[in-house]
Amino acid sequence: MTCFKLSGDQLKVAVVGFGKMGILHAGILNALPKVQLVAVCEKSGLIRRFMKKLFRDVFVVDDVGELSDLGLDAVYVTTPISCHFAVVKSIYDLGVASNVFVEKPLASNYGEARELCDLARKFGGVNMVGYMRRFSVTFRKAKKLLNQGVIGEPVSFSAYAYSSDFFGIDENSKVRTPKVGVLRDLGCHAIDLALWFFGDFKVKGAKIGSLFGEGSGDSASFEVETEAGVCGKFDVSWCVDGYRMPEVGFTVEGSGGVMRVNDDALELTLKGGEKFRWFRHDLKDGVGFWLGAPEYYREDECFVEAVIRGGSVEACFGSAAKVDRLIDEVLVKAGRVG
């Protein structure tokens, strides 16, 4: 891939969708010295009016097509998941930019994800999906130790992704969980990390629980087997008490010991009896600008540097499409589709 030329001395970047994640990425991008936030695209008239008062030097538009003539180097897509496919397709088809970052997951289903992968290959550039836990110091340390064989050959693993977002909600409540379901909202992080740790796998069986009937997917449990024969179990729910912040974690059983890792800590217990523990602060978790979590800064910095250098990053569209494929497999096995 040819190295990218900077527009002047900074990358010209736009953000499409200015909800929570759009605000977070825009804030980090503004703090990166090699980036200029040029435009924001947002459907809400109220938010656009606020943005025009807040950012005097940023174009504020309501349609992706209005970004076409700005000479953008990259676009961040932080819209609701159901809009990812249409927005990214428009960015490519209208020639808005060839370097595209999309918040997780890539699409609403595997069919859409495959089409976006085809478009990315056709138009070139750097593509990335926001699986930010790949940039967590605890999960990075875990990946390194697994690669080094510290616990021997992995035999099995269990993974969880929990939050308390809808704990205590029942069928009589006026509150309704998001239609996208817990798998695509939260469980996708655990699936992506498992792919990163162990390689591809197949779903062997699955169950999905609902608070409000068959239309919602509020908890999920499923079993998988990797191509190397490692068996895994997942448990995902946004209705678990005690999780003020969403949390993802793994326990990996190896031939030489056990590894436990989550967002905050990593523990090893080796067969010889040795034990080790690292917390975030033990693993140099500092970044140049802290907003949301350090992982977001590292993620955005990685994407920007790849655009400048000309290269690929992870998780790219191809890797993220595997997550969408596996979510679809879980839904099929649970009898929700197909």
Side-chain angles (χ1 to χ4, degrees):
M1 184 179 294
T2 304
C3 287
F4 200 89
K5 292 183 179 180
L6 294 177
S7 302
D9 59 352
Q10 292 180 308
L11 292 179
K12 297 172 68 176
V13 180
V15 174
V16 180
F18 216 68
K20 179 180 69 174
M21 297 308 299
I23 293 170
L24 185 149
H25 284 294
I28 294 172
L29 291 168
N30 262 332
L32 292 174
K34 297 176 182 178
V35 175
Q36 178 188 4
L37 180 63
V38 173
V40 170
C41 179
E42 168 59 47
K43 289 292 186 183
S44 168
L46 179 64
I47 294 176
R48 287 200 310 276
R49 288 193 294 272
F50 172 75
M51 290 295 299
K52 288 177 181 178
K53 292 179 180 180
L54 185 63
F55 295 112
R56 300 292 185 182
D57 299 323
V58 175
F59 290 98
V60 180
V61 301
D62 66 351
D63 187 87
V64 172
E66 297 180 67
L67 303 174
S68 300
D69 299 325
L70 299 181
L72 295 172
D73 299 319
V75 177
Y76 272 65
V77 178
T78 58
T79 61
I81 295 167
S82 60
C83 302
H84 285 184
F85 174 76
V87 171
V88 177
K89 190 174 187 303
S90 293
I91 289 169
Y92 283 128
D93 288 345
L94 298 174
V96 175
S98 61
N99 302 295
V100 182
F101 178 102
V102 184
E103 255 307 331
K104 61 79 188 170
L106 177 56
S108 298
N109 56 65
Y110 182 47
E112 291 181 352
R114 282 187 302 175
E115 189 168 341
L116 294 183
C117 288
D118 291 341
L119 286 170
R121 283 190 291 270
K122 176 181 177 181
F123 288 96
V126 177
N127 56 80
M128 187 177 189
V129 178
Y131 284 112
M132 37 74 74
R133 282 180 169 84
R134 291 192 182 216
F135 295 88
S136 159
V137 289
T138 54
F139 290 119
R140 281 187 166 188
K141 179 73 172 180
K143 169 67 170 172
K144 181 178 179 180
L145 295 176
L146 285 170
N147 289 348
Q148 292 174 342
V150 171
I151 62 168
E153 290 295 322
V155 176
S156 65
F157 70 88
S158 59
Y160 67 87
Y162 294 150
S163 81
S164 300
D165 291 353
F166 300 100
F167 174 73
I169 302 299
D170 58 32
E171 61 184 9
N172 298 316
S173 173
K174 294 181 180 179
V175 176
R176 289 294 183 267
T177 55
K179 291 182 180 179
V180 66
V182 71
L183 271 176
R184 283 199 159 84
D185 181 80
L186 177 60
C188 61
H189 282 294
I191 295 172
D192 176 69
L193 286 173
L195 288 166
W196 191 41
F197 286 166
F198 309 111
D200 207 354
F201 50 85
K202 292 184 178 180
V203 179
K204 310 298 286 186
K207 295 181 180 179
I208 293 179
S210 300
L211 290 174
F212 308 109
E214 292 301 317
S216 65
D218 306 308
S219 64
S221 59
F222 51 101
E223 299 178 354
V224 304
E225 184 176 354
T226 74
E227 293 177 344
V230 179
C231 296
K233 295 181 179 181
F234 290 80
D235 192 37
V236 179
S237 176
W238 49 27
C239 310
V240 181
D241 191 16
Y243 290 87
R244 185 180 64 86
M245 298 294 291
E247 181 175 301
V248 175
F250 281 76
T251 297
V252 184
E253 301 273 352
S255 58
V258 178
M259 172 188 293
R260 293 180 175 85
V261 60
N262 61 28
D263 294 291
D264 298 312
L266 168 64
E267 298 180 6
L268 286 181
T269 303
L270 303 183
K271 281 201 169 177
E274 294 179 285
K275 294 186 178 182
F276 304 88
R277 178 183 290 179
W278 297 268
F279 294 99
R280 273 182 175 265
H281 63 265
D282 300 317
L283 299 172
K284 299 179 179 179
D285 200 26
V287 292
F289 181 72
W290 192 314
L291 182 62
E295 293 89 318
Y296 292 110
Y297 181 92
R298 296 189 193 101
E299 176 183 67
D300 287 348
E301 186 178 48
C302 177
F303 176 74
V304 167
E305 289 298 323
V307 173
I308 293 169
R309 293 192 316 269
S312 60
V313 290
E314 289 292 346
C316 66
F317 281 15
S319 298
K322 292 181 180 180
V323 178
D324 287 313
R325 173 179 60 79
L326 288 162
I327 291 174
D328 283 3
E329 282 189 23
V330 172
L331 295 175
V332 170
K333 290 290 184 180
R336 288 303 182 96
V337 294

